[in-house]
Amino acid sequence: MRGEILTFRRSAPGIALARRALPPNVPMAFQPDDIRRLARLARIAVDGGEAAHLARELSGILGLIDQLQAVNTAHVEPLAHPLDVVMASTQRLRDDRAEPAIDREAHLANAPQAEGGLFLVPRVLE
Amino acid sequence: MDTTLHALSARLRARQATAVSLATEHLERIGAAAPLNAFLHVDADLTLAQAREADRRLAAGDPSPLLGLPVAHKDIFVTRGWRSTAGSRMLEHYTSPFDAAVVERLAAAGMVCLGKLNCDEFAMGSSNENSAFGAVRNPRDPARIPGGSSGGSAAAVAAGLVPAATGTDTGGSLRQPASMCGITAIKPTYGRVSRYGMIAFASSLDQGGPMAHTAEDCALLLDVLCGFDARDSTSIEDIPADKAHIWRGFQAENAANASPGKEFAGLTLGVPREFLADGVAPEVRAAVERAIAAMVARGARRVDISLPRTALSIPAYYVIAPAEASSNLSRFDGVRYGHRAADFRDLNDMIERTRAEGFGREVKRRILTGAYVLSHGYYDAYYLQAQRVRRLIAEDFQAAFRQCDLIVGPVAPTTAWKAGEKSADPVAMYLEDIFTLGVSLAGLPGLSVPCAVDAGALPVGLQVIGNYFDEARMLAVAHRYQRLAEAGS
Amino acid sequence: MRMPAGWEAVIGLETHVQLKTASKIFSSAPTDFGAAPNTQANAVDLALPGTLPVLNRAAVECAIKFGLAVNGGDDRHIAARSVFARKNYFYPDLPKGYQISQYELPVVTGGQVEIEAGGARKTVTLTRAHLEEDAGKSLHEGLDRPGVSGIDLNRAGTPLLEIVTDPVMVSAAEAVAYARALHGLVTWIGICDGNMQEGSFRCDANVSVRRDGDPRLGTRAEIKNVNSFRFLEKAIEFEIRRQIEVLEDGGAVVQETRLYDAERDQTRSMRSKEDAMDYRYFPDPDLLPVAIPRQWVETVRHSMGELPAAIASRLSAEFGLSASDARQITQTRALADYFFALTAALGGGHRLAATWLLGEFSAALNRAALEWQEAPIGPTRLAALLLRIQDGTVSGKAAKEVFDALWDAEGDVDAIIAARGLRQVSDTAAIERLVDAAIAAHPKAVEEYRAGKDKALNALFGQVMKASNKTANPGQVTELLKKKLAG
């Protein structure tokens, strides 16, 4: 399966690296059940055929991102905000002033279902 | 006919045209170019109302340089009036109660909005084949993709439907379509353009920017687009004074480098060997080499540099961007706005079906990938590791900038490919982003300026990468290169 | 409740304290309670596409205040750099599909709260206190359609401080004492209005049990959203009993979330989730790390005034109050304010004031289910009464009768004393007559006393006091009795 993902019409420098990380004939990293578990976590309904298809595709993507495992990052701080490399940026703070003007009707106009100022959903079970 | 903002502005000021006549002219072209599928929503009434207002301001002697000129927005920016869909079924009928900061700023400058431009769904894609409302065609060759995700913007500008457009760039989405459609676009330093009202894909990477025919037009637009916005916590407030004004900086740079034949004197261009390695289409490589040589012939110095982790930018990006996207797109649950499935058993089923129906395949792939790399037991190995590699990549760029002023190379390994050619293979598509992702991960500014066409008359873009806040210089260099190319052609 | 022999309970509390700010933590929408649905939720709170969070300075300041208050004013537990993270889960009243909270670098780490339960003092150590946003509400009643719920997002984005203790409490009484002390503290420093009915102060309890001496912690259950101290106590007691029963029957406690049902006085399992929660925490890329420079902490410290713990030590050191009295006086700001108003009016008398407030007055408030701020007798009127004790006008015993009359609003102190004839008699001659009469009337008691039965004196003393309508100066009565009987 993984070999299929690596069939490229044109090559790019990334591909050589990707090839090294993906020996041929490795079993698929994701099975349809894994996809169903992830899909539940992400609240996306998937049917059987879709799960199988996504399992193949995500296995290919996993092969790509698994290249990261080969990088030695000991003593490297994660970079969450790009400009942290050059400037220490910190969160700006807002003054505590309330702005009461809220156009509820404009907000509710986009709702799939609304009543009495509320967004309606199928019954929530606690 | 010259369709740059610069030229159109001259026509307005010379009273050879009005904002209303320009808007009408362009709306007609948009109507005639429907097969390109560049526009998602046009509303002549809204446009003409803005045009009439611009004409009033023109008559009153308002000197704003962009006043009365047409523009259109990538449909990832929310707008009052025009629908805001993000190219997704999920938001097919959504109207925002507010305008994005980018939209506000251009409107305040007097630009007249022609409508909303097609894009890959939630800006996820490199070919504009991921729009729920159909693929966009490349005006240079309708059988080919225009690039993505700001493909509608690039195609519209290239086809003359609008002289300028906004786009966004998360991993190359301004630069790559500009390259493939033969126009100019710049992704500014992360934090320079407010993300308020930009429908989020990957918050730590997303950055809006202008697309137009020339670097000069981009400089005019970027001058208005840049600026601190208290509504975006990542908007940068304290930009070094000498870098704060784009247009002023752009003019100063050009004035200082005006002597004929020495337009690039004193400029050191770094050429990363990884950007011209095997795998780059020979014609692309040759075009970029010719462009560099032309600048060297006029005073620039070339140094060969290395960005050793160029290939690693692909896996780092395809961990970070999906992780952030999976979370950013959780708000689309069918509760408060957007699509809601018609049939469901219960609340949970409603949410799952809504998302299954509302999102396209690429979006689902990225949401699931993102959920995976953030999930328990994998976070350190993928997400944190990617953020560490991200720092290494950013540091590589800083090391490179100790050797050169600007980095130049190709935008993409190839010119525009045929529609459908890579649709079945997401990873193959991801690999095409190799030269744009590093810049995005590092938050650096990068632009694309047309430098050649290949044997099939398909455009090739030259990428110019600057250090943080160096947009004015990058645009000025691109501008002088463009003048040179015009004179040479 | 007595703990069943051979078992011990381990309890930790997580308290959600709603912060008293004018606007929300990440948006400028107002935070007023009880407004019409969705009129206090703006585009940010609704998570409309394109909206972004911007942090409210006042919310961070509240967290800093708390960090100072639980560390005796020391700033060492307040992070210099604090980070917001996304907690990802789907719920219809959670608009973004994630809650902005804190994971790795909360504003406050560590700290302690002193409590007193069952007469013993204890220090409850805190794990952390972090800022986060509240969710909205799902409403199920009063809708015209069947099978639907309504979502009101007014509360969404309201700032919360989640305060987590170490698992150090061993009984429901300790947990309640902690919750009360924490409630007193957060209202004292003004970061929370403390209104439990409106959900401003909500407790979750993590409860587990283990055999005496077992060093391992048992499996815990989390009891959610208990909105009164009384229910907290009952819920924990029920849960302890339930877990012991399960284990004694050879079963196993399941790690789960349980809801307390006040009507039935029991906890019940919440609908079990399909799969274990995986919140996929990661730093929120829309927000930058929050810098909390020491200078800011200093400014906040100065704005806070004296902290209750400091006031308590001062009350002990300067005025000789017992440590326990001093801590109780400073448990709530309302009581402490009352105390200081009272002693100011009295011009001293701190110990007398403490004795009265913690004794007679507290008992009366409890009986009437009133809080200090609702007390029917103000500090000036109480001071008038205590002055009459100090100057010997009334005896302590008579003063209690005056107090009851004051409570029932029968007029001012002196008028009540006069009307009820409670003025203390210190006239030696008058007292002597009563003493003589008592000695004459009770020869048997006199005989017993002289035979060495000291207790017999009490009977004679009681007779004199009764005859004087409680007004005779007790010291003088005792003195005279002893003198006469010795003579």
Side-chain angles (χ1 to χ4, degrees):
Chain A
M1 186 56 249
R2 285 189 172 203
E4 197 180 293
I5 289 153
L6 294 170
T7 311
F8 300 111
R9 284 165 190 84
R10 272 184 285 246
S11 61
I15 296 167
L17 238 157
R19 274 222 180 85
R20 275 204 297 281
L22 283 175
N25 310 322
V26 179
M28 245 170 58
F30 284 108
Q31 298 301 320
D33 274 351
D34 301 320
I35 296 300
R36 276 188 280 269
R37 185 184 60 82
L38 282 175
R40 249 199 324 273
L41 203 55
R43 294 290 189 280
I44 296 176
V46 291
D47 60 32
E50 216 179 349
H53 203 84
L54 283 162
R56 278 194 297 277
E57 290 174 340
L58 261 72
S59 295
I61 295 170
L62 189 66
L64 175 73
I65 63 179
D66 264 338
Q67 292 172 20
L68 292 172
Q69 308 314 329
V71 187
N72 180 1
T73 54
H75 316 299
V76 180
E77 275 293 297
L79 179 64
H81 291 280
L83 265 60
D84 282 355
V85 179
V86 287
M87 56 202 288
S89 31
T90 56
Q91 177 62 33
R92 191 175 41 257
L93 301 168
R94 182 175 59 77
D95 288 339
D96 183 25
R97 263 197 305 275
E99 287 164 22
I102 287 166
D103 187 354
R104 178 175 77 172
E105 299 323 307
H107 293 153
L108 292 172
N110 271 312
Q113 204 186 356
E115 185 185 289
L118 297 163
F119 298 99
L120 295 192
V121 295
R123 181 112 180 149
V124 179
L125 299 171
E126 314 244 2
Chain B
M1 190 168 77
D2 190 347
T3 55
T4 61
L5 291 175
H6 194 74
L8 292 178
S9 180
R11 280 176 61 197
L12 278 179
R13 302 287 167 181
R15 318 233 168 202
Q16 291 161 347
T18 63
V20 168
S21 75
L22 284 183
T24 311
E25 215 175 277
H26 283 91
L27 285 172
E28 278 166 14
R29 277 188 230 157
I30 292 166
L36 275 185
N37 201 25
F39 274 82
L40 289 180
H41 192 198
V42 174
D43 184 323
D45 292 341
L46 289 171
T47 297
L48 292 173
Q50 289 191 354
R52 281 190 291 272
E53 172 59 22
D55 279 331
R56 271 192 290 276
R57 282 174 64 181
L58 280 163
D62 187 330
S64 310
L66 294 171
L67 180 57
L69 299 172
V71 70
H73 297 292
K74 181 178 182 178
D75 203 13
I76 206 84
F77 292 107
V78 299
T79 41
R80 263 195 300 233
W82 291 273
R83 285 191 296 272
S84 301
T85 71
S88 180
R89 188 69 62 203
M90 189 61 95
L91 289 175
E92 188 171 1
H93 305 292
Y94 180 72
T95 307
S96 172
F98 63 96
D99 281 331
V102 155
V103 173
E104 265 176 4
R105 281 178 162 267
L106 293 182
M111 291 196 94
V112 176
C113 177
L114 297 185
K116 302 297 285 291
L117 293 159
N118 205 345
C119 57
D120 280 306
E121 184 177 6
F122 289 102
M124 298 177 190
S126 310
S127 67
N128 223 310
E129 292 164 294
N130 295 334
S131 167
F133 310 110
V136 178
R137 293 168 186 279
N138 191 322
R140 312 280 174 171
D141 178 352
R144 292 181 185 267
I145 57 103
S149 65
S150 312
S153 304
V157 173
L161 309 185
V162 63
T166 56
T168 60
D169 191 315
T170 305
S173 286
L174 278 160
R175 293 160 284 163
Q176 185 256 23
S179 171
M180 295 197 168
C181 290
I183 63 163
T184 308
I186 180 164
K187 178 199 99 75
T189 304
Y190 179 83
R192 269 203 105 143
V193 171
S194 170
R195 293 188 295 116
Y196 185 77
M198 180 194 297
I199 299 176
F201 160 16
S203 309
S204 77
L205 296 156
D206 292 345
Q207 193 58 198
M211 308 180 94
H213 292 290
T214 64
E216 184 178 39
D217 282 358
C218 284
L220 269 176
L221 292 161
L222 190 60
D223 190 64
V224 173
L225 292 174
C226 282
F228 172 66
D229 184 353
R231 298 167 298 184
D232 172 4
S233 295
T234 58
S235 172
I236 297 172
E237 202 167 3
D238 41 0
I239 289 174
D242 60 327
K243 310 270 189 199
H245 301 282
I246 302 289
W247 181 246
R248 210 186 290 166
F250 173 81
Q251 287 181 306
E253 279 279 337
N254 286 328
N257 295 281
S259 38
K262 291 189 175 163
E263 292 89 345
F264 303 96
L267 183 71
T268 306
L269 297 174
V271 184
R273 72 176 67 94
E274 294 80 4
F275 279 43
L276 294 170
D278 291 345
V280 179
E283 282 188 280
V284 169
R285 198 178 345 173
V288 168
E289 288 284 11
R290 275 198 308 277
I292 296 168
M295 290 188 277
V296 168
R298 284 161 182 79
R301 189 167 71 88
R302 171 187 175 140
V303 289
D304 290 315
I305 59 163
S306 174
L307 292 169
R309 295 178 182 86
T310 296
L312 278 174
S313 65
I314 305 173
Y317 176 89
Y318 281 99
V319 167
I320 293 166
E324 294 182 5
S326 71
S327 179
N328 281 335
L329 270 59
S330 291
R331 67 189 60 198
F332 302 104
D333 58 4
V335 173
R336 297 165 312 286
Y337 49 77
H339 178 71
R340 177 185 286 191
D343 298 309
F344 45 80
R345 287 189 309 275
D346 54 24
L347 174 65
N348 197 46
D349 195 45
M350 184 279 276
I351 297 176
E352 292 195 345
R353 288 187 191 218
T354 292
R355 290 166 63 79
E357 295 169 7
F359 292 139
R361 293 199 61 87
E362 180 61 21
V363 172
K364 287 181 193 173
R365 279 193 286 269
R366 297 205 193 185
I367 289 176
L368 295 181
T369 304
Y372 176 73
V373 298
L374 289 175
S375 63
H376 189 71
Y378 298 97
Y379 176 79
D380 287 9
Y382 290 105
Y383 187 75
L384 266 192
Q385 175 71 352
Q387 295 284 44
R388 292 196 167 97
V389 171
R390 183 179 195 176
R391 181 176 294 276
L392 293 174
I393 289 168
E395 286 172 350
D396 284 348
F397 276 105
Q398 289 312 299
F401 283 121
R402 286 192 279 277
Q403 293 171 263
C404 61
D405 301 314
L406 299 174
I407 295 168
V408 290
V411 173
T414 69
T415 51
W417 59 85
K418 285 222 168 73
E421 197 178 313
K422 293 182 202 289
S423 328
D425 187 349
V427 173
M429 190 90 90
Y430 296 172
L431 296 175
E432 294 292 330
D433 301 336
I434 182 161
F435 300 133
T436 49
L437 297 178
V439 171
S440 293
L441 288 167
L444 290 165
L447 66 73
S448 172
V449 59
C451 70
V453 290
D454 69 5
L458 295 171
V460 178
L462 175 74
Q463 184 172 208
V464 180
I465 302 163
N467 212 339
Y468 301 106
F469 310 118
D470 221 2
E471 290 86 349
R473 173 151 67 164
M474 294 157 60
L475 286 163
V477 166
H479 170 69
R480 298 199 296 281
Y481 171 76
Q482 253 168 349
R483 300 289 286 267
L484 202 70
E486 274 165 31
S489 62
Chain C
M1 174 185 113
R2 288 252 307 279
M3 206 54 204
W7 291 94
E8 66 180 19
V10 178
I11 303 159
L13 251 55
E14 291 173 15
T15 310
H16 288 89
V17 168
Q18 191 176 304
L19 301 175
K20 226 164 64 178
T21 57
S23 65
K24 297 200 172 158
I25 183 166
F26 297 115
S27 91
S28 59
T31 54
D32 303 327
F33 181 83
N38 292 309
T39 55
Q40 311 255 308
N42 69 15
V44 176
D45 304 318
L46 262 54
L48 296 192
T51 54
L52 295 167
V54 184
L55 182 57
N56 183 343
R57 180 194 314 278
V60 184
E61 224 153 69
C62 287
I64 295 173
K65 282 183 181 168
F66 182 76
L68 288 169
V70 293
N71 288 293
D74 195 314
D75 67 8
R76 68 182 189 280
H77 294 296
I78 298 168
R81 187 171 162 276
S82 186
V83 168
F84 283 93
R86 294 184 182 179
K87 179 180 183 178
N88 294 284
Y89 66 96
F90 286 87
Y91 209 73
D93 63 15
L94 185 72
K96 293 187 291 296
Y98 58 84
Q99 178 193 31
I100 306 179
S101 179
Q102 299 199 282
Y103 191 57
E104 270 177 347
L105 291 165
V107 178
V108 181
T109 309
Q112 55 195 55
V113 173
E114 302 293 328
I115 63 163
E116 202 167 297
R121 288 176 59 183
K122 180 163 185 161
T123 299
V124 175
T125 51
L126 304 182
T127 312
R128 58 191 268 146
H130 68 251
L131 286 168
E132 62 184 26
E133 57 181 344
D134 208 344
K137 276 183 183 160
S138 308
L139 307 168
H140 316 299
E141 314 299 330
L143 294 161
D144 292 345
R145 279 169 240 256
V148 299
S149 295
I151 305 294
D152 173 11
L153 296 170
N154 279 351
R155 206 180 60 184
T158 300
L160 298 176
L161 188 67
E162 182 177 335
I163 301 159
V164 183
T165 73
D166 294 335
V168 290
M169 288 161 280
V170 297
S171 67
E174 279 189 4
V176 170
Y178 162 77
R180 283 186 184 278
L182 184 69
H183 185 269
L185 184 64
V186 296
T187 50
W188 180 296
I189 61 176
I191 64 173
C192 176
D193 68 17
N195 190 325
M196 295 178 80
Q197 277 71 49
E198 292 178 3
S200 300
F201 187 92
R202 318 195 280 270
C203 293
D204 302 343
N206 287 311
V207 177
S208 68
V209 298
R210 60 182 171 190
R211 299 270 180 192
D212 272 346
D214 191 336
R216 292 163 307 173
L217 286 175
T219 306
R220 66 190 160 88
E222 185 181 13
I223 313 169
K224 276 263 181 225
N225 274 338
V226 192
N227 67 353
S228 86
F229 295 127
R230 206 166 71 86
F231 290 158
L232 178 65
E233 184 156 20
K234 285 170 158 281
I236 294 174
E237 282 177 352
F238 174 86
E239 185 58 23
I240 291 172
R241 278 197 305 272
R242 185 190 72 85
Q243 291 188 12
I244 291 173
E245 272 168 31
V246 167
L247 294 172
E248 282 185 337
D249 290 350
V253 175
V254 184
Q255 182 160 351
E256 62 181 351
T257 302
R258 300 180 69 85
L259 279 179
Y260 178 66
D261 180 339
E263 268 173 43
R264 299 201 176 116
D265 184 24
Q266 60 183 39
T267 65
R268 60 184 163 83
S269 185
M270 286 177 80
R271 200 167 55 100
S272 70
K273 288 161 187 137
E274 271 178 41
D275 42 1
M277 270 297 181
D278 183 348
Y279 291 123
R280 290 157 287 145
Y281 279 101
F282 73 109
D284 191 331
D286 284 331
L287 293 161
L288 297 164
V290 184
I292 306 177
R294 296 304 93 173
Q295 203 185 324
W296 185 16
V297 178
E298 263 326 286
T299 313
V300 172
R301 191 208 313 275
H302 282 118
S303 74
M304 286 177 77
E306 199 174 7
L307 290 170
I311 296 175
S313 343
R314 189 160 60 80
L315 290 178
S316 295
E318 288 179 25
F319 306 111
L321 262 64
S322 73
S324 168
D325 281 3
R327 206 169 33 253
Q328 286 183 65
I329 288 289
T330 53
Q331 170 129 165
T332 70
R333 186 156 222 160
L335 171 52
D337 285 348
Y338 194 105
F339 176 80
F340 284 112
L342 177 60
T343 51
L346 212 49
H350 293 81
R351 288 172 66 178
L352 178 66
T355 306
W356 268 80
L357 293 184
L358 298 176
E360 205 65 24
F361 212 141
S362 288
L365 286 174
N366 272 345
R367 280 194 300 273
L370 294 174
E371 298 296 325
W372 281 98
Q373 50 271 35
E374 304 163 313
I377 306 175
T380 326
R381 290 200 330 161
L382 185 63
L385 172 57
L386 299 195
L387 267 175
R388 290 293 169 260
I389 299 173
Q390 282 180 325
D391 69 10
T393 307
V394 292
S395 67
K397 226 170 173 177
K400 287 180 184 168
E401 193 178 325
V402 181
F403 177 83
D404 289 339
L406 278 176
W407 190 274
D408 295 332
E410 280 183 24
D412 77 17
V413 171
D414 289 335
I416 292 168
I417 292 171
R420 298 194 168 210
L422 293 172
R423 175 173 289 276
Q424 183 164 260
V425 176
S426 302
D427 171 351
T428 313
I431 294 176
E432 205 169 351
R433 277 195 296 281
L434 292 172
V435 166
D436 289 342
I439 289 173
H442 299 87
K444 203 175 166 204
V446 172
E447 224 171 273
E448 282 173 11
Y449 178 76
R450 287 189 170 135
K453 236 179 146 183
D454 288 351
K455 268 193 181 167
L457 193 68
N458 293 346
L460 293 166
F461 175 84
Q463 288 302 320
V464 176
M465 292 306 287
K466 192 179 169 190
S468 77
N469 188 29
K470 297 183 218 162
T471 59
N473 183 318
Q476 276 175 296
V477 174
T478 309
E479 197 182 317
L480 273 170
L481 270 174
K482 282 184 179 170
K483 196 169 121 193
K484 299 243 169 188
L485 292 170

